[in-house]
Amino acid sequence: MIEIKDLHKSYQMGSNSLHVLKGINFNVKKGELVSIMGSSGSGKSTLLNILGILDEADEGSYILDNTSIKNLSEKIAAEYRNKFLGFIFQSFNLINYKNAIDNVALPLYYQGVGRKERNDKALHYLEKVGLANWATHLPNELSGGQKQRVAIARALASDPKVLLADEPTGALDTKTSYEVMELIQNINDEGKTILLVTHEPDIAQMTKRIVDLKDGLIINDTRIEPVKAKAHV
Ligand code: ADP
Ligand code: MG
């Protein structure tokens, strides 16, 4: 699903250059649930943003679902993001003046899906995350965990090939974090490929593979038997 070879990324700041990714190699197969770990500043978000076609590497190759991601125009990049990827963020990134169902339906609107179909789909995904009864509520009427569930439903709405999550539990208390991880595990059990960034070891233990980033390189890449989040909620 994802093939990355010798990926490099630097940031320029004036005359200084910060070499953040120094030759990343890794592959992710369909159905994997991978956590990317590393201390703050280790380049986790940089890597996830490149995987998400929100940013581009300086060197190296990235193949996503047999499609080479290189030198894309902003229009094509947006098209690929819509077609291949769903995003989940630490801070949920919901639109405050839209209710839950409209937030979930928004990516479908941008894809030109008609009103009836997008509302049906949005409700379907809200049901899936256990929030059918909250469809008409605004984000500020929802708890943090509920907001993240809405964001997950939104990420799923366009049936992406890969879900990318940057610290999805970073703003949640432990119990709520595990509830969100239970949902992520369930979605993965249905076959969805998921990559998540975290710096919390207990969250990483709930994935099937832990990739450790340090000083711009992968220093460890280990498959594990995931801890079931359900047992801890
Ligand atoms: P992490 O997500 O692991 O905390 P990041 O990928 O956000 O790390 O950042 C890696 C390094 O790159 C940090 O030192 C950060 O300050 C720097 N960095 C990230 N984004 C930019 C940017 N747009 N411009 C300049 N430096 C950046
Ligand atoms: Mg980060």
Side-chain angles (χ1 to χ4, degrees):
M1 185 65 75
I2 287 173
E3 292 169 59
I4 277 195
K5 283 208 190 78
D6 205 26
L7 209 70
H8 286 258
K9 177 74 181 180
S10 298
Y11 292 112
Q12 307 300 333
M13 284 169 301
S15 55
N16 290 326
S17 168
L18 184 65
H19 199 177
V20 177
L21 302 179
K22 300 179 180 169
I24 301 287
N25 293 287
F26 87 127
N27 296 336
V28 177
K29 292 205 179 74
K30 184 177 177 346
E32 287 203 68
L33 174 55
V34 185
S35 51
I36 299 169
M37 289 200 78
S39 52
S40 178
S42 59
K44 304 182 297 295
S45 294
T46 301
L47 178 58
L48 206 74
N49 288 344
I50 293 170
L51 292 172
I53 327 180
L54 296 162
D55 199 355
E56 209 180 3
D58 303 324
E59 273 177 53
S61 64
Y62 172 22
I63 295 171
L64 172 60
D65 197 35
N66 299 315
T67 306
S68 174
I69 305 298
K70 197 160 185 97
N71 300 326
L72 305 181
S73 67
E74 190 40 52
K75 183 162 178 281
I76 301 287
E79 224 175 272
Y80 284 4
R81 278 197 295 272
N82 281 332
K83 181 167 153 198
F84 291 125
L85 302 165
F87 293 91
I88 303 163
F89 302 94
Q90 175 172 354
S91 51
F92 324 124
N93 294 11
L94 298 177
I95 295 180
N96 288 323
Y97 58 85
K98 286 189 183 289
N99 64 23
I101 192 166
D102 288 345
N103 265 285
V104 176
L106 197 62
L108 301 170
Y109 170 80
Y110 286 122
Q111 287 177 20
V113 177
R115 179 190 296 271
K116 170 91 171 70
E117 188 185 342
R118 63 176 194 263
N119 283 340
D120 288 350
K121 276 196 176 162
L123 191 58
H124 167 79
Y125 285 103
L126 276 180
E127 270 165 18
K128 214 174 161 61
V129 302
L131 289 179
N133 293 333
W134 294 82
T136 59
H137 286 257
L138 291 169
N140 67 16
E141 297 166 336
L142 304 175
S143 69
Q146 287 175 323
K147 282 184 218 179
Q148 195 60 299
R149 284 169 184 276
V150 173
I152 291 171
R154 177 184 58 186
L156 288 172
S158 48
D159 195 22
K161 303 268 184 185
V162 180
L163 273 188
L164 299 174
D166 197 347
E167 309 258 10
T169 61
L172 305 174
D173 62 67
T174 303
K175 180 172 182 293
T176 310
S177 292
Y178 292 173
E179 286 167 2
V180 164
M181 284 309 294
E182 183 189 351
L183 178 58
I184 286 177
Q185 288 181 332
N186 291 342
I187 294 164
N188 174 252
D189 284 342
E190 292 173 6
K192 192 71 78 188
T193 311
I194 306 175
L195 269 78
L196 66 88
V197 160
T198 184
H199 60 262
E200 298 165 288
D202 53 336
I203 297 298
Q205 290 296 327
M206 293 173 173
T207 68
K208 295 173 173 170
R209 175 179 168 195
I210 305 180
V211 173
D212 284 307
L213 269 187
K214 194 179 180 196
D215 298 331
L217 289 168
I218 292 176
I219 54 162
N220 237 311
D221 187 341
T222 313
R223 280 168 212 282
I224 60 164
E225 187 55 43
V227 171
K228 284 280 166 218
K230 191 178 174 55
H232 296 267
V233 297

